[in-house]
Amino acid sequence: MEGVEHDGSAVGSASAKVASLVVFGRFAVLFISGITFVIVARFLGPGVYGIYILAMSYTGLFTGVADIGVCTALNKFIAQYRASGSKEDLNKVVSNGYFSVILSALAFSLIAFSLSSFVAVHVLGSASYTYIVQVVSFCILGGMLFGVSYNMMVGFGKGSYVALMLILQSVVQSIISIILVMLGLGAIAPILGLLVGYLTSIVTVFVLLTTKLKIRLRKPSFAYIKKFFGFSSPIAVYNGLRGVVTNIAPIILGIFATTVIVGNFGVAVKTSSIISSFTDALGLVVLPMFAYTVSAKSIGKNIGKFYNYAVYMTFMLVAPALFYLAVLSKEFSFTVFSSKYLLAPTYISLISIGTLLWILATYTTMLLISTSKVKKILKYSLIMTCIELTLIFTVVPMFGAIGLISILFLVTPSLITFLMSKAARDLLDVHLDLRKLARVVIAGLISAAFLLPLLIVPGEYIAVLVVGVIEQMAVYPVILALTGAAGREELKVLRDVTGNIPVMSRIISIFADYTGHFVRA
């Protein structure tokens, strides 16, 4: 067992070295976008912010479909041809990647644009919002080109360029959005900021491709485009289905509820997505670890142990933050977004708990993707989409935002975890170690109980939040150790896997050292 665990940490450490700059870029974006989100939400208020959420959800319906799997294929084929030293193939892959995405995304942008008047009236609630829908339609094109740029740089193994484009996009978007919001442009302000951020990053990557990486554009070839589709079409369908469900949900809510309720729902979901960005960044470390263990004959049989470590480590790092938000949701929401978002605290509490379930669902899906079980994923995603859409159209009209949150953050991740775990057991003989996860959850709940006395402190929201953070930092590691949720071996693996992530590695090392003082011999 111990030898296997050391293998796992070594593989994870190697993956972290490759992904460290990308992860650093993700964390930087997390910080920048978090600040921008708070400022924009406070200035717009729940009603106008609800309009923004509905407009972005509308384009999200098309973005998932417009992907057509090109981004995933580019990542794979660029890495493959770079390893073989085939420069001309790299030129053709990049050229056809750009051509495919521009063709697809532009077509869907124009379709979205053509429906702008209808959507403004029936979704946003007024024809006066038509211009917002028209402008946001081009986020489909911008978002897809940004995604292609990101995957190209990942495929070339240029972590520094990936970090640069992520941070550049986030900084430009934030500056433009905040300025325009303060000037009173309303819901269209963050949309324009997003577009300008996309454009800046896209142009930067193109310049890097043609100058630093010496890529030359070639005439499009349908043979290459067919190759893209053949490789990643199942993944594209899966992503498209997830995108449709995720984005149609706020639209359905908007039909049966006011934009104020949609705005409250939006800030709660966005708060959750910031936490999820942290887990996504960790996923950049563990997904290569999964892929490597499958291909390496010496340790491939132990992928189940690495999978359980990945889920366990993420739970251990994220659980205290989620339970903190669940308990102090009112203090957090009223401090960050203002008391205008009256419904947000309840939504944030429910979504925080649901985010833990999504970690299970996400990593189990990643496991199957890394082992090329995409057809099984596609089968289950079709089943899930049918169930989700049925529930959304029947539950949301009766129970509103609470019903929608229950579907998206409780029912859906639970079903995905059940189905994907069954597939992992049947196809890979991988079993989820629920006992170890249960210990982490129990430790999180016990430490969260120490926050309850703070709820009786009247009005001092900022003081309560600060004391709560200090309390969690002091108490959670102790309980984690005393309940047996973390041992010396687990803490060592945690240090090794995250040891090359800038900034975060030091924070996690301090956490592990402090926890280690209370681990029983």
Side-chain angles (χ1 to χ4, degrees):
M1 176 67 177
E2 184 175 341
V4 171
E5 288 164 351
H6 283 301
D7 282 342
S9 66
V11 175
S13 181
S15 300
K17 289 178 181 178
V18 175
S20 61
L21 286 171
V22 180
V23 174
F24 173 73
R26 288 285 187 93
F27 284 134
V29 169
L30 182 63
F31 177 75
I32 297 167
S33 62
I35 293 175
T36 306
F37 159 54
V38 170
I39 295 173
V40 168
R42 288 183 70 93
F43 267 88
L44 293 183
V48 180
Y49 191 77
I51 296 296
Y52 165 71
I53 292 294
L54 290 172
M56 292 303 301
S57 296
Y58 170 63
T59 57
L61 288 172
F62 294 94
T63 302
V65 179
D67 180 4
I68 60 177
V70 173
C71 290
T72 305
L74 279 172
N75 194 333
K76 188 258 186 187
F77 287 121
I78 288 176
Q80 175 183 314
Y81 292 136
R82 182 168 59 90
S84 65
S86 180
K87 184 68 176 180
E88 185 57 25
D89 278 324
L90 285 174
N91 292 333
K92 291 179 180 179
V93 166
V94 170
S95 301
N96 283 280
Y98 271 127
F99 177 76
S100 301
V101 166
I102 290 174
L103 197 64
S104 173
L106 186 60
F108 281 103
S109 291
L110 293 175
I111 292 172
F113 186 93
S114 68
L115 298 172
S116 56
S117 296
F118 177 85
V119 173
V121 173
H122 296 282
V123 177
L124 275 62
S126 172
S128 62
Y129 295 132
T130 300
Y131 75 101
I132 294 177
V133 183
Q134 291 173 339
V135 173
V136 82
S137 297
F138 291 98
C139 286
I140 301 170
L141 178 60
M144 286 305 305
L145 284 173
F146 178 79
V148 162
S149 301
Y150 173 87
N151 280 276
M152 284 181 180
M153 290 297 100
V154 171
F156 277 108
K158 297 296 182 181
S160 58
Y161 292 170
V162 175
L164 172 65
M165 68 169 289
L166 289 174
I167 294 172
L168 181 63
Q169 190 276 333
S170 183
V171 169
V172 172
Q173 176 187 348
S174 297
I175 292 173
I176 299 298
S177 297
I178 291 172
I179 290 174
L180 295 182
V181 164
M182 289 182 172
L183 291 175
L185 268 68
I188 202 171
I191 295 171
L192 292 173
L194 179 63
L195 283 171
V196 176
Y198 279 155
L199 179 62
T200 304
S201 191
I202 291 164
V203 171
T204 300
V205 169
F206 185 78
V207 171
L208 290 172
L209 283 170
T210 54
T211 58
K212 298 294 184 180
L213 301 177
K214 307 300 182 184
I215 293 297
R216 298 293 178 263
L217 296 182
R218 298 291 185 253
K219 183 179 179 181
S221 167
F222 283 101
Y224 268 89
I225 297 173
K226 184 179 179 180
K227 192 174 185 179
F228 291 157
F229 296 160
F231 168 74
S232 57
S233 55
I235 298 175
V237 172
Y238 170 77
N239 291 334
L241 290 173
R242 295 294 337 137
V244 167
V245 172
T246 301
N247 289 286
I248 203 171
I251 294 175
I252 300 302
L253 179 61
I255 293 174
F256 294 99
T258 65
T259 55
V260 172
I261 292 177
V262 175
N264 278 271
F265 170 81
V267 296
V269 172
K270 182 65 176 180
T271 301
S272 168
S273 70
I274 291 175
I275 300 293
S276 298
S277 296
F278 177 81
T279 61
D280 290 344
L282 291 177
L284 289 173
V285 175
V286 299
L287 183 56
M289 180 174 74
F290 290 163
Y292 179 80
T293 56
V294 172
S295 61
K297 293 181 180 179
S298 60
I299 56 177
K301 62 183 180 180
N302 296 309
I303 189 172
K305 294 182 176 65
F306 301 136
Y307 158 70
N308 277 297
Y309 260 109
V311 178
Y312 162 76
M313 287 188 295
T314 306
F315 259 56
M316 184 167 59
L317 295 174
V318 174
L322 293 174
F323 288 129
Y324 172 90
L325 280 177
V327 174
L328 301 180
S329 58
K330 179 181 178 181
E331 290 75 9
F332 172 81
S333 180
F334 283 15
T335 300
V336 174
F337 307 119
S338 82
S339 58
K340 291 184 291 185
Y341 290 87
L342 287 171
L343 300 173
T346 302
Y347 300 165
I348 289 173
S349 293
L350 289 172
I351 289 175
S352 296
I353 304 303
T355 302
L356 273 179
L357 295 174
W358 266 114
I359 292 172
L360 285 175
T362 300
Y363 278 120
T364 309
T365 303
M366 286 169 56
L367 171 65
L368 293 176
I369 289 176
S370 68
T371 53
S372 301
K373 306 299 182 182
V374 290
K375 290 185 178 180
K376 182 67 70 172
I377 293 172
L378 180 58
K379 172 187 173 182
Y380 286 147
S381 66
L382 286 170
I383 295 172
M384 280 305 310
T385 300
C386 293
I387 294 173
E388 285 179 279
L389 291 176
T390 301
L391 289 174
I392 287 172
F393 280 102
T394 55
V395 173
V396 172
M398 293 186 290
F399 298 100
I402 295 294
L404 182 56
I405 290 170
S406 299
I407 295 168
L408 296 181
F409 291 90
L410 299 177
V411 176
T412 297
S414 297
L415 286 175
I416 290 177
T417 301
F418 173 77
L419 292 173
M420 298 301 181
S421 296
K422 181 178 182 301
R425 288 194 304 270
D426 295 343
L427 300 175
L428 305 171
D429 195 27
V430 170
H431 299 263
L432 182 62
D433 188 352
L434 292 175
R435 184 174 59 179
K436 183 174 286 190
L437 296 182
R439 288 183 177 181
V440 175
V441 172
I442 290 171
L445 289 172
I446 294 173
S447 63
F450 283 83
L451 299 172
L452 295 177
L454 297 176
L455 298 178
I456 65 175
V457 179
E460 300 296 332
Y461 294 153
I462 295 178
V464 166
L465 291 173
V466 173
V467 172
V469 169
I470 296 173
E471 196 173 84
Q472 286 289 88
M473 291 172 62
V475 172
Y476 176 69
V478 178
I479 298 175
L480 201 63
L482 295 180
T483 57
R488 298 194 186 281
E489 189 63 40
E490 288 85 358
L491 294 174
K492 183 185 184 306
V493 174
L494 178 64
R495 289 191 195 94
D496 291 345
V497 169
T498 60
N500 291 283
I501 304 175
V503 182
M504 284 303 300
S505 61
R506 181 58 183 161
I507 297 173
I508 292 174
S509 178
I510 293 172
F511 165 79
D513 290 342
Y514 178 58
T515 306
H517 288 305
F518 304 95
V519 173
R520 297 169 183 172

